[in-house]
Coordinates of all heavy atoms in Angstrom, one line a residue:
A71 N 57.7 81.3 83.2 CA 56.6 82.3 83.2 C 57.1 83.6 82.6 O 58.3 84.0 82.8 CB 56.1 82.5 84.6
S72 N 56.2 84.4 81.9 CA 56.7 85.7 81.5 C 56.4 86.7 82.7 O 57.1 87.7 82.8 CB 56.0 86.2 80.2 OG 54.8 85.6 80.1
R73 N 55.4 86.5 83.5 CA 55.1 87.4 84.6 C 54.7 86.6 85.9 O 53.6 86.5 86.2 CB 54.0 88.4 84.3 CG 54.4 89.4 83.3 CD 53.4 90.4 83.1 NE 53.3 91.3 84.2 CZ 53.6 92.6 84.2 NH1 54.0 93.2 83.1 NH2 53.5 93.3 85.3
P74 N 55.7 85.9 86.5 CA 55.4 85.2 87.7 C 55.2 86.1 88.9 O 55.7 87.2 88.9 CB 56.6 84.3 87.9 CG 57.7 85.0 87.3 CD 57.1 85.8 86.1
V75 N 54.4 85.7 89.9 CA 54.2 86.5 91.1 C 54.0 85.5 92.3 O 53.4 84.4 92.1 CB 53.1 87.5 91.0 CG1 51.7 86.9 90.9 CG2 53.1 88.5 92.2
L76 N 54.6 85.9 93.4 CA 54.4 85.1 94.6 C 53.3 85.8 95.5 O 53.6 86.9 95.9 CB 55.7 84.9 95.4 CG 56.9 84.4 94.6 CD1 58.0 84.1 95.6 CD2 56.7 83.2 93.8
S77 N 52.2 85.2 95.7 CA 51.1 85.9 96.5 C 51.3 85.4 98.0 O 51.3 84.2 98.2 CB 49.8 85.4 96.0 OG 48.8 85.8 96.9
L78 N 51.4 86.3 98.9 CA 51.8 85.9 100.3 C 50.7 86.4 101.3 O 50.2 87.5 101.2 CB 53.1 86.6 100.7 CG 54.3 86.3 99.8 CD1 55.6 86.9 100.4 CD2 54.5 84.8 99.6
N79 N 50.3 85.5 102.2 CA 49.3 85.8 103.2 C 50.1 85.8 104.6 O 51.3 85.7 104.6 CB 48.1 84.8 103.2 CG 48.5 83.4 103.5 OD1 49.6 83.2 104.0 ND2 47.6 82.5 103.3
G80 N 49.3 86.0 105.6 CA 49.9 86.1 107.0 C 50.7 84.9 107.4 O 51.9 85.1 107.8
N81 N 50.2 83.7 107.2 CA 50.9 82.5 107.6 C 52.2 82.4 106.8 O 53.3 82.0 107.3 CB 50.1 81.3 107.5 CG 49.0 81.2 108.5 OD1 48.3 82.2 108.7 ND2 48.8 80.0 109.1
A82 N 52.1 82.7 105.5 CA 53.3 82.5 104.6 C 54.4 83.5 105.0 O 55.6 83.1 105.1 CB 52.9 82.7 103.2
V83 N 54.1 84.7 105.3 CA 55.1 85.7 105.7 C 55.7 85.3 107.1 O 56.9 85.3 107.3 CB 54.5 87.1 105.8 CG1 55.5 88.1 106.5 CG2 54.1 87.6 104.4
A84 N 54.8 84.8 108.0 CA 55.3 84.5 109.3 C 56.2 83.3 109.3 O 57.3 83.2 109.9 CB 54.1 84.2 110.3
L85 N 55.9 82.3 108.5 CA 56.6 81.0 108.5 C 57.8 81.0 107.6 O 58.8 80.4 107.9 CB 55.7 79.8 108.1 CG 54.6 79.5 109.1 CD1 53.7 78.4 108.4 CD2 55.1 79.0 110.4
A86 N 57.7 81.7 106.4 CA 58.7 81.5 105.4 C 59.0 82.8 104.7 O 59.4 82.8 103.5 CB 58.3 80.4 104.4
G87 N 58.8 84.0 105.3 CA 59.0 85.3 104.7 C 60.4 85.4 104.0 O 60.5 85.8 102.9
E88 N 61.4 85.0 104.8 CA 62.8 85.2 104.3 C 63.0 84.3 103.0 O 63.5 84.8 102.0 CB 63.8 84.8 105.3 CG 63.9 85.8 106.5 CD 65.0 85.5 107.4 OE1 65.9 84.7 107.0 OE2 65.0 86.1 108.5
A89 N 62.6 83.0 103.1 CA 62.9 82.1 102.0 C 62.1 82.5 100.8 O 62.6 82.5 99.7 CB 62.6 80.7 102.4
L90 N 60.9 83.0 101.0 CA 60.0 83.4 99.8 C 60.5 84.6 99.2 O 60.5 84.8 98.0 CB 58.6 83.5 100.3 CG 57.9 82.1 100.7 CD1 56.6 82.3 101.4 CD2 57.7 81.2 99.4
L91 N 61.0 85.6 100.0 CA 61.6 86.8 99.3 C 62.9 86.4 98.6 O 63.1 87.0 97.5 CB 61.9 87.8 100.4 CG 60.8 88.7 100.9 CD1 61.3 89.8 101.8 CD2 60.1 89.4 99.7
K92 N 63.7 85.5 99.1 CA 64.9 85.1 98.4 C 64.5 84.4 97.1 O 65.1 84.6 96.1 CB 65.7 84.1 99.2 CG 66.5 84.8 100.4 CD 67.4 83.7 101.0 CE 67.8 84.1 102.4 NZ 68.4 83.0 103.2
L93 N 63.5 83.6 97.2 CA 63.0 82.9 96.0 C 62.6 83.9 94.9 O 62.9 83.8 93.7 CB 61.8 82.0 96.3 CG 61.2 81.2 95.2 CD1 62.2 80.1 94.7 CD2 59.9 80.5 95.7
A94 N 61.8 84.9 95.3 CA 61.4 86.0 94.4 C 62.6 86.7 93.8 O 62.5 87.0 92.6 CB 60.5 87.0 95.1
E95 N 63.6 86.9 94.5 CA 64.8 87.6 94.0 C 65.4 86.7 92.9 O 65.7 87.1 91.8 CB 65.8 87.9 95.0 CG 67.0 88.7 94.4 CD 68.0 89.0 95.5 OE1 68.7 88.1 96.0 OE2 68.2 90.2 95.7
H96 N 65.5 85.4 93.2 CA 66.1 84.5 92.2 C 65.2 84.4 90.9 O 65.7 84.2 89.8 CB 66.2 83.1 92.8 CG 67.5 82.9 93.6 ND1 68.7 82.9 93.1 CD2 67.6 82.8 94.9 CE1 69.6 82.8 94.1 NE2 69.0 82.8 95.2
L97 N 63.9 84.5 91.1 CA 63.0 84.4 90.0 C 62.9 85.7 89.3 O 62.2 85.9 88.2 CB 61.6 83.9 90.4 CG 61.5 82.4 90.8 CD1 60.2 82.2 91.6 CD2 61.6 81.5 89.6
D98 N 63.4 86.8 89.9 CA 63.2 88.1 89.4 C 61.8 88.5 89.3 O 61.3 89.0 88.2 CB 64.0 88.3 88.1 CG 64.2 89.7 87.7 OD1 64.0 90.6 88.6 OD2 64.4 90.0 86.5
C99 N 61.0 88.2 90.3 CA 59.6 88.5 90.2 C 59.1 89.2 91.5 O 59.8 89.2 92.5 CB 58.8 87.2 90.0 SG 58.6 86.2 91.5
P100 N 57.9 89.9 91.4 CA 57.5 90.6 92.7 C 56.8 89.6 93.6 O 56.4 88.5 93.2 CB 56.4 91.6 92.1 CG 56.0 91.0 90.8 CD 57.1 90.2 90.3
V101 N 56.6 90.0 94.9 CA 55.7 89.3 95.8 C 54.6 90.3 96.0 O 54.7 91.5 95.9 CB 56.4 89.0 97.1 CG1 57.6 88.0 96.9 CG2 56.8 90.2 97.9
E102 N 53.4 89.8 96.3 CA 52.2 90.6 96.6 C 51.5 90.1 97.8 O 51.2 88.9 97.9 CB 51.2 90.6 95.4 CG 50.0 91.5 95.7 CD 49.2 91.8 94.4 OE1 49.7 91.7 93.3 OE2 48.0 92.2 94.6
I103 N 51.4 91.0 98.8 CA 50.6 90.7 100.0 C 49.1 90.6 99.6 O 48.6 91.6 99.1 CB 50.8 91.7 101.1 CG1 52.2 91.8 101.5 CG2 49.9 91.3 102.3 CD1 52.7 90.7 102.4
N104 N 48.5 89.5 99.7 CA 47.1 89.3 99.3 C 46.5 88.4 100.4 O 46.8 87.3 100.5 CB 47.0 88.7 98.0 CG 45.6 88.7 97.4 OD1 45.0 87.6 97.2 ND2 45.1 89.8 97.1
I105 N 45.6 89.0 101.3 CA 45.2 88.3 102.4 C 43.7 88.1 102.4 O 42.9 88.9 101.9 CB 45.6 88.9 103.8 CG1 45.2 90.4 103.9 CG2 47.1 88.7 103.9 CD1 45.7 91.0 105.2
F106 N 43.2 87.0 103.0 CA 41.8 86.7 103.1 C 41.1 87.6 104.1 O 40.1 88.2 103.7 CB 41.7 85.2 103.5 CG 40.3 84.7 103.5 CD1 39.8 84.1 102.3 CD2 39.5 84.7 104.6 CE1 38.5 83.6 102.2 CE2 38.2 84.2 104.5 CZ 37.7 83.7 103.3
Y107 N 41.6 87.7 105.3 CA 41.1 88.6 106.3 C 41.8 89.9 106.3 O 42.7 90.1 107.0 CB 41.2 87.9 107.7 CG 40.5 86.6 107.8 CD1 41.2 85.4 107.7 CD2 39.1 86.5 107.9 CE1 40.6 84.2 107.8 CE2 38.5 85.2 107.9 CZ 39.2 84.1 107.9 OH 38.6 82.9 107.9
R108 N 41.3 90.8 105.4 CA 42.1 92.0 105.1 C 41.7 93.1 106.0 O 40.5 93.5 106.1 CB 41.8 92.4 103.6 CG 42.8 93.5 103.2 CD 42.4 93.9 101.7 NE 43.3 95.0 101.4 CZ 44.3 94.8 100.5 NH1 44.5 93.7 100.0 NH2 45.1 95.9 100.2
T109 N 42.7 93.7 106.7 CA 42.4 94.9 107.5 C 43.6 95.8 107.2 O 44.7 95.3 106.9 CB 42.4 94.7 109.0 OG1 43.7 94.2 109.5 CG2 41.3 93.7 109.4
P110 N 43.4 97.1 107.3 CA 44.6 98.0 107.1 C 45.7 97.8 108.0 O 46.9 97.8 107.6 CB 44.0 99.4 107.3 CG 42.5 99.3 107.2 CD 42.2 97.9 107.6
E111 N 45.4 97.4 109.3 CA 46.5 97.2 110.3 C 47.3 96.0 109.9 O 48.5 96.0 110.0 CB 45.8 96.9 111.7 CG 45.1 98.1 112.3 CD 43.7 98.3 111.7 OE1 43.2 97.4 111.0 OE2 43.2 99.4 111.8
R112 N 46.6 94.9 109.5 CA 47.4 93.7 109.1 C 48.2 94.0 107.8 O 49.4 93.5 107.7 CB 46.5 92.5 108.8 CG 46.0 91.8 110.1 CD 45.3 90.5 109.8 NE 46.3 89.5 109.2 CZ 46.0 88.6 108.3 NH1 44.8 88.6 107.8 NH2 46.9 87.8 107.9
M113 N 47.7 94.7 106.9 CA 48.4 95.0 105.6 C 49.7 95.7 106.0 O 50.8 95.4 105.5 CB 47.5 95.8 104.7 CG 46.5 95.0 104.0 SD 47.1 93.6 103.0 CE 48.0 94.4 101.7
K114 N 49.5 96.7 106.9 CA 50.7 97.6 107.2 C 51.7 96.7 107.9 O 52.9 96.8 107.6 CB 50.2 98.7 108.2 CG 51.2 99.7 108.5 CD 50.6 101.0 109.1 CE 51.7 101.9 109.6 NZ 51.7 102.2 111.0
A115 N 51.3 95.9 108.9 CA 52.2 95.0 109.6 C 52.9 94.1 108.7 O 54.2 93.9 108.8 CB 51.5 94.2 110.7
L116 N 52.2 93.5 107.7 CA 52.8 92.5 106.8 C 53.8 93.2 105.9 O 54.9 92.6 105.6 CB 51.7 91.7 106.0 CG 51.0 90.7 106.9 CD1 49.7 90.3 106.2 CD2 51.9 89.5 107.1
L117 N 53.4 94.3 105.3 CA 54.3 95.0 104.4 C 55.6 95.5 105.2 O 56.7 95.3 104.7 CB 53.6 96.3 103.8 CG 52.5 95.9 102.8 CD1 51.5 97.0 102.6 CD2 53.2 95.6 101.4
G118 N 55.4 95.9 106.4 CA 56.5 96.3 107.2 C 57.5 95.2 107.5 O 58.7 95.3 107.4
R119 N 56.9 94.0 107.8 CA 57.7 92.8 108.0 C 58.6 92.5 106.8 O 59.8 92.2 106.9 CB 56.8 91.7 108.4 CG 57.5 90.3 108.6 CD 58.2 90.2 110.0 NE 58.9 89.0 110.0 CZ 60.3 88.9 110.1 NH1 61.0 90.0 110.2 NH2 60.9 87.8 110.2
L120 N 57.9 92.5 105.6 CA 58.6 92.1 104.4 C 59.7 93.1 104.1 O 60.8 92.8 103.6 CB 57.7 92.0 103.2 CG 56.8 90.7 103.2 CD1 56.0 90.6 101.9 CD2 57.6 89.4 103.4
E121 N 59.4 94.4 104.2 CA 60.4 95.5 104.0 C 61.6 95.3 104.9 O 62.7 95.5 104.5 CB 59.8 96.9 104.1 CG 58.7 97.3 103.1 CD 59.3 97.4 101.7 OE1 60.6 97.4 101.5 OE2 58.5 97.5 100.7
A122 N 61.3 94.9 106.2 CA 62.4 94.7 107.1 C 63.3 93.6 106.7 O 64.5 93.7 106.7 CB 61.8 94.5 108.5
I123 N 62.7 92.5 106.3 CA 63.5 91.3 105.8 C 64.3 91.7 104.6 O 65.5 91.4 104.5 CB 62.6 90.1 105.4 CG1 61.8 89.6 106.6 CG2 63.4 89.0 104.8 CD1 60.8 88.6 106.3
K124 N 63.7 92.5 103.7 CA 64.3 92.9 102.4 C 65.6 93.7 102.7 O 66.6 93.5 102.1 CB 63.3 93.7 101.6 CG 63.8 94.1 100.3 CD 62.7 94.8 99.5 CE 63.3 95.9 98.6 NZ 62.3 96.6 97.7
S125 N 65.4 94.7 103.6 CA 66.6 95.5 103.9 C 67.7 94.8 104.7 O 68.8 94.9 104.5 CB 66.2 96.9 104.5 OG 66.1 96.8 105.9
E126 N 67.2 93.9 105.6 CA 68.2 93.1 106.4 C 69.0 92.2 105.5 O 70.2 92.1 105.7 CB 67.4 92.3 107.4 CG 68.2 91.8 108.6 CD 67.3 90.9 109.5 OE1 66.1 91.4 109.8 OE2 67.7 89.8 109.9
L127 N 68.4 91.6 104.5 CA 69.1 90.6 103.7 C 69.6 91.3 102.4 O 70.1 90.6 101.5 CB 68.2 89.4 103.3 CG 67.6 88.6 104.5 CD1 66.8 87.4 104.0 CD2 68.8 88.1 105.4
N128 N 69.3 92.6 102.3 CA 69.8 93.3 101.1 C 69.3 92.7 99.8 O 70.1 92.4 98.9 CB 71.3 93.4 101.1 CG 71.8 94.5 100.3 OD1 71.1 95.4 100.0 ND2 73.1 94.5 100.0
L129 N 68.0 92.5 99.7 CA 67.4 91.8 98.6 C 66.8 92.8 97.6 O 66.3 93.9 98.1 CB 66.3 90.8 99.0 CG 66.7 89.7 99.9 CD1 65.5 88.9 100.5 CD2 67.6 88.7 99.2
E130 N 66.8 92.5 96.3 CA 66.2 93.3 95.3 C 64.8 92.7 94.9 O 64.8 91.8 94.0 CB 67.0 93.4 94.1 CG 68.4 94.0 94.2 CD 68.3 95.5 93.9 OE1 67.4 95.9 93.1 OE2 69.0 96.3 94.5
V131 N 63.8 93.0 95.6 CA 62.5 92.4 95.3 C 61.4 93.5 95.4 O 61.4 94.3 96.4 CB 62.1 91.3 96.3 CG1 60.8 90.7 95.9 CG2 63.2 90.2 96.3
E132 N 60.5 93.5 94.4 CA 59.4 94.5 94.5 C 58.3 93.9 95.4 O 57.9 92.7 95.2 CB 58.9 94.7 93.1 CG 57.9 95.8 93.0 CD 57.3 96.1 91.6 OE1 57.6 95.2 90.7 OE2 56.6 97.0 91.4
I133 N 57.8 94.7 96.4 CA 56.8 94.2 97.3 C 55.5 95.0 97.0 O 55.4 96.2 97.2 CB 57.2 94.4 98.7 CG1 58.5 93.6 99.0 CG2 56.1 94.0 99.7 CD1 59.1 93.9 100.4
L134 N 54.5 94.2 96.4 CA 53.2 94.8 96.0 C 52.2 94.6 97.1 O 52.3 93.7 97.9 CB 52.8 94.3 94.7 CG 53.8 94.4 93.5 CD1 53.3 93.6 92.3 CD2 53.9 95.9 93.1
G135 N 51.1 95.3 96.9 CA 49.9 95.1 97.8 C 49.5 96.3 98.6 O 48.4 96.4 99.1
A136 N 50.4 97.3 98.8 CA 50.1 98.5 99.6 C 49.0 99.3 99.0 O 48.2 99.8 99.7 CB 51.4 99.3 99.8
E137 N 49.1 99.4 97.7 CA 48.1 100.2 97.0 C 47.3 99.4 95.9 O 47.6 99.4 94.8 CB 48.8 101.4 96.3 CG 49.2 102.4 97.4 CD 50.2 103.4 96.8 OE1 50.2 103.6 95.5 OE2 51.0 103.9 97.6
P138 N 46.3 98.7 96.4 CA 45.5 97.9 95.4 C 44.8 98.7 94.4 O 44.3 99.8 94.7 CB 44.5 97.1 96.3 CG 44.5 97.8 97.6 CD 45.8 98.6 97.7
N139 N 44.9 98.3 93.1 CA 44.2 99.1 92.1 C 43.4 98.2 91.2 O 43.1 98.6 90.1 CB 45.3 99.9 91.3 CG 46.4 98.9 90.7 OD1 46.2 97.7 90.9 ND2 47.4 99.4 90.2
A140 N 43.1 97.0 91.7 CA 42.3 96.1 90.8 C 41.6 95.1 91.8 O 41.8 95.1 93.0 CB 43.2 95.3 89.9
R141 N 40.7 94.3 91.2 CA 40.0 93.3 92.0 C 40.1 91.9 91.2 O 40.0 91.9 90.0 CB 38.5 93.6 92.2 CG 38.3 94.9 93.0 CD 36.8 95.2 93.2 NE 36.2 94.2 94.0 CZ 36.2 94.2 95.4 NH1 36.9 95.1 96.0 NH2 35.6 93.2 96.0
I142 N 40.1 90.8 92.0 CA 40.1 89.5 91.4 C 38.6 89.3 91.0 O 37.7 89.3 91.9 CB 40.6 88.4 92.3 CG1 42.0 88.7 92.7 CG2 40.4 87.0 91.7 CD1 42.6 87.8 93.8
P143 N 38.3 89.1 89.7 CA 36.9 88.9 89.3 C 36.3 87.7 90.0 O 37.0 86.7 90.1 CB 37.0 88.7 87.8 CG 38.4 89.1 87.4 CD 39.3 89.0 88.6
G144 N 35.0 87.8 90.4 CA 34.3 86.7 90.9 C 34.5 86.5 92.4 O 33.9 85.6 93.0
L145 N 35.2 87.4 93.1 CA 35.4 87.4 94.5 C 34.7 88.6 95.2 O 34.9 89.7 94.7 CB 36.8 87.3 95.0 CG 37.6 86.1 94.8 CD1 39.0 86.2 95.4 CD2 36.9 84.9 95.5
K146 N 34.0 88.4 96.3 CA 33.3 89.5 96.9 C 34.2 90.0 98.1 O 35.0 89.2 98.7 CB 32.0 89.1 97.5 CG 31.0 88.8 96.4 CD 29.6 88.9 96.9 CE 28.5 88.5 95.9 NZ 28.0 87.2 95.9
G147 N 34.0 91.3 98.5 CA 34.6 91.8 99.7 C 36.1 92.2 99.5 O 36.7 92.1 98.5
P148 N 36.7 92.6 100.7 CA 38.1 93.1 100.6 C 39.1 92.1 100.2 O 40.2 92.5 99.7 CB 38.4 93.5 102.1 CG 37.1 93.4 102.8 CD 36.1 92.6 102.0
R149 N 38.8 90.8 100.3 CA 39.9 89.8 99.9 C 40.1 89.8 98.4 O 41.1 89.2 97.9 CB 39.4 88.4 100.4 CG 38.3 87.9 99.6 CD 37.9 86.5 100.2 NE 36.5 86.1 99.7 CZ 36.2 84.9 99.4 NH1 37.1 83.9 99.5 NH2 35.0 84.6 99.0
A150 N 39.2 90.5 97.6 CA 39.4 90.5 96.2 C 40.4 91.6 95.8 O 40.9 91.6 94.6 CB 38.1 90.8 95.5
K151 N 40.8 92.5 96.7 CA 41.7 93.6 96.3 C 43.0 93.1 96.0 O 43.6 92.3 96.7 CB 41.8 94.6 97.5 CG 40.6 95.4 97.8 CD 40.9 96.4 98.9 CE 39.7 97.3 99.2 NZ 39.9 98.2 100.3
C152 N 43.6 93.6 94.9 CA 44.9 93.2 94.5 C 45.5 94.3 93.5 O 44.9 95.3 93.4 CB 44.9 91.8 93.8 SG 44.0 91.9 92.2
T153 N 46.6 94.0 92.9 CA 47.2 95.0 92.0 C 47.2 94.5 90.6 O 47.3 93.3 90.3 CB 48.7 95.3 92.4 OG1 49.5 94.2 92.1 CG2 48.8 95.7 93.8
Q154 N 47.0 95.4 89.7 CA 47.0 95.1 88.2 C 48.4 94.5 87.8 O 48.5 93.5 87.1 CB 46.7 96.4 87.4 CG 46.6 96.2 85.9 CD 45.4 95.4 85.5 OE1 44.3 95.6 86.1 NE2 45.6 94.5 84.5
E155 N 49.5 95.2 88.3 CA 50.8 94.9 87.8 C 51.3 93.6 88.5 O 52.3 93.0 88.0 CB 51.8 96.1 88.1 CG 51.9 96.5 89.6 CD 50.8 97.5 90.0 OE1 49.7 97.4 89.5 OE2 51.1 98.2 91.0
G156 N 50.7 93.1 89.5 CA 51.0 91.9 90.2 C 50.1 90.8 89.8 O 50.2 90.2 88.7

Side-chain angles (χ1 to χ4, degrees):
S72 29
R73 290 187 72 114
V75 67
L76 313 187
S77 171
L78 305 184
N79 64 13
N81 290 47
V83 171
L85 293 173
E88 288 190 12
L90 291 166
L91 276 187
K92 285 185 197 166
L93 180 66
E95 184 179 67
H96 280 288
L97 290 165
D98 194 18
C99 77
V101 301
E102 178 163 342
I103 299 284
N104 190 246
I105 56 179
F106 188 86
Y107 301 103
R108 191 184 178 104
T109 64
E111 295 77 17
R112 280 191 68 214
M113 286 301 294
K114 189 166 171 235
L116 286 164
L117 288 159
R119 174 83 186 112
L120 286 186
E121 291 294 350
I123 297 172
K124 182 177 148 173
S125 89
E126 198 182 316
L127 302 182
N128 202 16
L129 298 170
E130 293 270 333
V131 181
E132 189 179 8
I133 299 169
L134 300 171
E137 288 166 23
N139 54 8
R141 296 183 66 82
I142 300 171
L145 283 185
K146 291 199 181 103
R149 69 183 167 140
K151 288 186 180 177
C152 68
T153 71
Q154 182 70 40
E155 60 276 28

